[in-house]
Amino acid sequence: MTTQVTDHKGGVWSIAVPIPDNPLGHTLVHLLETDRGPVLIDTGWDDPDSWDVLVAGVTACGFDLTDLHGVLITHHHPDHHGLSAKVREASGAWIAMHAADTAVVRRTRAAEPGQWLDYLLTKLAAAGAPDGHLAPLRKARATGGGRKLPGRRAALPDRGIDPGALLDLPGRRVRAIWTPGHTPGHVCLHLEEEHPSARIPGFGRLFSGDHLLPGITPHIGLYEAPDDGLGTHDGENLREDTDPLGDYLDSLERVGRLAPAEVLPAHQHAFADAGGRVRALIAHHEERLARLRALLQEPRTVWQLAETMEWNRPWEQIPYGSRNIAVSEAEAHLRRLVKLGHAEGVPGSDPVTYRAVG
């Protein structure tokens, strides 16, 4: 398998680590040279071919896997955190992650497979999903399915990433920026050093994970919570009280104010004009919220709302698993409208239907 490595200069490289059977194609794992040895930013999906490409990529950057000093995880998703355990085992490197996503990893590891399927069944039934959509999940629950869900063997990190802190990376100046929304503990990492090309306006480079991508709108769904007992972080119930889209929009504005010279995302390609991309994404979500508010002039369940929303293809062509993701995104947008006082649940409806307010 071909290894694609890009030298971004100034001791920064990217390695395109493939994601099996996924239209995204690959995760851009970044390697940052420090005085104690190289550090990876994310690791890629846990797959034998992905592992081979990562190892070959580290070699192409001029290092051995045993040289790795640490792993910084932007967020817990398996295309970012999947190979972390193998990297730690092979190199002795530490793994660092924000506490909120560490909590998700702990819940995922602790929950029984059936617990996650029960959660998904309850969530989709409450959203008004038809029986035909629920039937495969019921079958999987009855036959003991769910044991191969991604993330059940995800590595627990050795240390945290504190918002606003300069990371302990000798010879480099990297500050953690907490950017919740895509996940509750997503972080961007701001390399507070002059860009190798002084001609580019702005300051430093931003490793943006999935928070800021050049041509993709990141998925914003409700935060994971398999049950009320495990679904809390710092006293806040992830299922009922959070506002992921609100978090994301606030995080976008913070990143926009940083005005980095270049953004190094985890997918697609590096790009400049972070402020322009931030403005485009904020406008996209504002327009989407306005359309949803108009749709809710007629009361709808979350499922009915998802069916009616604009996606990258007609609802009939959206695969089964992607419909679950679409419902979660519809829920996050609906949660935002409710928080703003622009929508409300219809009393006595079962499943709950929502309507516009005002």
Side-chain angles (χ1 to χ4, degrees), residues 54-350:
L54 177 64
V55 173
V58 171
T59 301
C61 293
F63 302 98
D64 188 85
L65 202 67
T66 56
D67 296 329
L68 292 175
H69 171 56
V71 177
L72 298 165
I73 301 298
T74 61
H75 61 295
H76 72 83
H77 287 164
D79 56 323
H80 297 256
H81 184 40
L83 286 171
S84 299
K86 284 190 176 182
V87 170
R88 180 167 59 188
E89 181 180 354
S91 66
W94 46 258
I95 302 171
M97 183 186 292
H98 186 280
D101 271 20
T102 297
V104 175
V105 173
R106 289 187 186 279
R107 289 198 305 275
T108 304
R109 289 167 60 101
E112 292 296 326
Q115 189 176 5
W116 283 95
L117 288 172
D118 287 343
Y119 166 61
L120 191 56
L121 274 164
T122 300
K123 175 180 172 181
L124 288 168
D131 285 341
H133 188 85
L134 299 175
L137 291 171
R138 292 193 182 111
K139 181 178 179 181
R141 183 67 178 94
T143 57
R147 297 190 180 278
K148 295 183 179 180
L149 290 173
R152 281 187 49 76
R153 295 183 299 172
L156 282 169
D158 306 289
R159 57 180 71 178
I161 296 178
D162 297 327
L166 280 174
L167 304 182
D168 182 17
L169 300 174
R172 309 309 297 246
R173 187 176 175 88
V174 179
R175 190 177 301 276
I177 312 297
W178 184 30
T179 51
H182 184 57
T183 70
H186 191 291
V187 293
C188 294
L189 303 168
H190 189 200
L191 183 59
E192 297 180 339
E193 301 170 10
E194 289 293 340
H195 193 283
S197 174
R199 295 171 296 178
I200 301 177
F203 176 65
R205 290 180 276 183
L206 185 74
F207 299 100
S208 66
D210 281 0
H211 182 69
L212 196 61
L213 303 169
I216 299 172
T217 303
H219 166 68
I220 309 297
L222 293 189
Y223 298 143
E224 303 91 335
D227 76 355
D228 290 337
L230 295 174
T232 58
H233 176 65
D234 291 341
E236 184 176 21
N237 185 283
L238 296 178
R239 186 183 302 176
E240 300 296 340
D241 297 334
T242 55
D243 178 11
L245 182 55
D247 290 346
Y248 180 64
L249 295 173
D250 289 344
S251 300
L252 278 177
E253 291 183 351
R254 287 200 302 276
V255 164
R257 289 193 292 269
L258 288 177
E262 187 176 33
V263 179
L264 301 173
H267 302 289
Q268 298 188 298
H269 55 81
F271 64 100
D273 191 18
R277 184 60 182 148
V278 164
R279 290 190 293 274
L281 286 166
I282 291 174
H284 164 78
H285 285 290
E286 287 178 346
E287 181 182 347
R288 201 170 205 195
L289 287 169
R291 288 201 301 266
L292 294 187
R293 193 176 179 188
L295 287 172
L296 289 172
Q297 296 301 319
E298 173 189 335
R300 300 175 192 267
T301 65
V302 175
W303 183 273
Q304 290 169 336
L305 195 63
E307 284 182 311
T308 317
M309 289 170 67
E310 292 184 14
W311 305 104
N312 60 0
R313 68 190 89 176
W315 182 259
E316 295 74 20
Q317 296 177 18
I318 296 178
Y320 180 90
S322 297
R323 291 189 180 191
N324 296 338
I325 296 172
V327 168
S328 183
E329 188 146 332
E331 287 179 310
H333 283 74
L334 184 58
R335 176 75 59 83
R336 184 69 185 146
L337 288 175
V338 171
K339 292 276 186 178
L340 293 171
H342 296 327
E344 64 181 6
V346 177
S349 56
D350 183 21

